[in-house]
């Protein structure tokens, strides 16, 4: 029988996507803390750093530097999200670790076209009201809250259509547990 080309130690791509404020960043931080085999890609963005946001959340950059990197083909995917650029630098060698991308739907679609084997987990809020509470609780300005809620109406049908798994982030611990199970399931599949 022909040998499987994918070995248990080969690198997989897990994409975590979903509307703003659903909890993606919180979830992926919990995942990488629990599972040392996961390697979280750090995106570039031209958005301003939020008050209280970690310096390591992104590579914060300006439009000129971002556009220079686009011209040099330095992104796996990139998009314009509500007026700012966001992009995934082409991943460095991560020797056997699984790559986690926390990105919005347009980027997820691009990665799935390039890497159909990538596993897309799309995260939904329990309700629009709860998403709104989370955005406000995080300190987003009122106009940003409104933009992100509006954007979610377009993002969710697309994300659900291309996702391998759809997860509702109700209770954080339960959600992280469900995601760990999904990741474990794909590792067993090889
Ligand atoms: P995203 O990365 O999807 O924009 P964040 O991870 O920044 O969202 O989460 C938005 C806010 O919601 C944060 O203040 C976070 O602490 C909170 N949050 C995340 N998951 C939950 C949850 N399951 N229950 C309640 N609050 C949550
Ligand atoms: P935020 O401004 O809330 O940090 O991010 C806005 C949106 O951009 C979120 O949905 C987030 O997942 C997404 N995002 C973050 N990094 C990237 C990236 O590298 N590429 C793409 N396409 N989206 C990203």
């Amino acid at each position: 029988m022909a040998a499987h080309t994918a070995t248990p130690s080969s690198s997989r791509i897990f994409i975590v996507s979903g509307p703003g404020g659903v909890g993606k960043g919180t979830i992926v931080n919990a995942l990488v803390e629990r599972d040392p085999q996961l390697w979280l890609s750090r995106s570039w963005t031209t958005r301003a750093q939020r008050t209280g946001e970690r310096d390591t959340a992104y590579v914060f950059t300006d439009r000129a530097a971002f556009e220079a990197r686009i011209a040099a083909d330095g992104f796996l995917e990139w998009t314009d999200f509500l007026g700012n650029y966001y992009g995934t630098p082409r991943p460095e060698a991560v020797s056997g670790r699984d790559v986690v991308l926390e990105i919005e739907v347009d980027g997820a679609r691009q990665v799935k076209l390039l890497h159909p084997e990538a596993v897309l987990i799309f995260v939904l809020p329990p309700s629009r009201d709860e998403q709104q509470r989370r955005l406000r609780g995080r300190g987003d300005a009122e106009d940003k809250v409104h933009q992100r809620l509006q954007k979610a109406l377009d993002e969710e049908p697309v994300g659900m259509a291309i996702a391998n798994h759809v997860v509702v982030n109700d209770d954080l611990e339960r959600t992280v547990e469900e995601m760990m199970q999904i990741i474990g399931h794909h590792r067993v599949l090889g």
Side-chain angles (χ1 to χ4, degrees), residues 113-176:
L113 283 174
L114 288 168
H115 295 281
E117 78 288 359
V119 177
L120 170 55
I121 308 172
F122 194 75
V123 186
L124 288 175
S127 69
R128 204 60 71 204
D129 281 353
E130 175 60 15
Q131 183 191 0
Q132 189 167 332
R133 265 193 293 281
R134 290 181 191 174
L135 285 165
R136 291 212 175 101
R138 182 174 72 180
D140 283 28
E142 210 44 43
D143 60 326
K144 302 276 187 258
V145 172
H146 183 71
Q147 281 178 346
R148 279 157 204 251
L149 291 172
Q150 275 299 115
K151 181 96 178 157
L153 302 178
D154 296 332
E155 292 177 295
E156 288 179 3
V158 178
M160 288 169 77
I162 62 173
N164 299 88
H165 303 271
V166 177
V167 169
V168 177
N169 180 22
D170 38 25
D171 174 73
L172 181 62
E173 182 55 36
R174 193 210 58 76
T175 302
V176 172

Side-chain angles (χ1 to χ4, degrees), residues 53-71:
E53 188 172 35
R54 285 171 303 137
D55 292 344
T56 52
Y58 285 100
V59 174
F60 293 97
T61 187
D62 59 23
R63 294 185 78 84
F66 199 105
E67 285 169 1
R69 188 157 185 144
I70 294 172

Side-chain angles (χ1 to χ4, degrees), residues 31-39 97-98 187:
L31 290 174
V32 297
E33 250 175 46
R34 288 179 202 197
D35 183 345
Q37 208 187 321
L38 294 176
W39 180 86
R97 289 170 78 192
D98 295 332
R187 284 180 176 149

Side-chain angles (χ1 to χ4, degrees), residues 24 43 47 50 58 77 86-88 102-104 148:
K24 302 179 295 296
S43 297
R47 132 164 116 60
R50 289 189 194 112
Y58 285 100
E77 60 74 35
Y86 293 81
T88 303
E102 189 248 288
I103 59 179
E104 54 68 65
R148 279 157 204 251

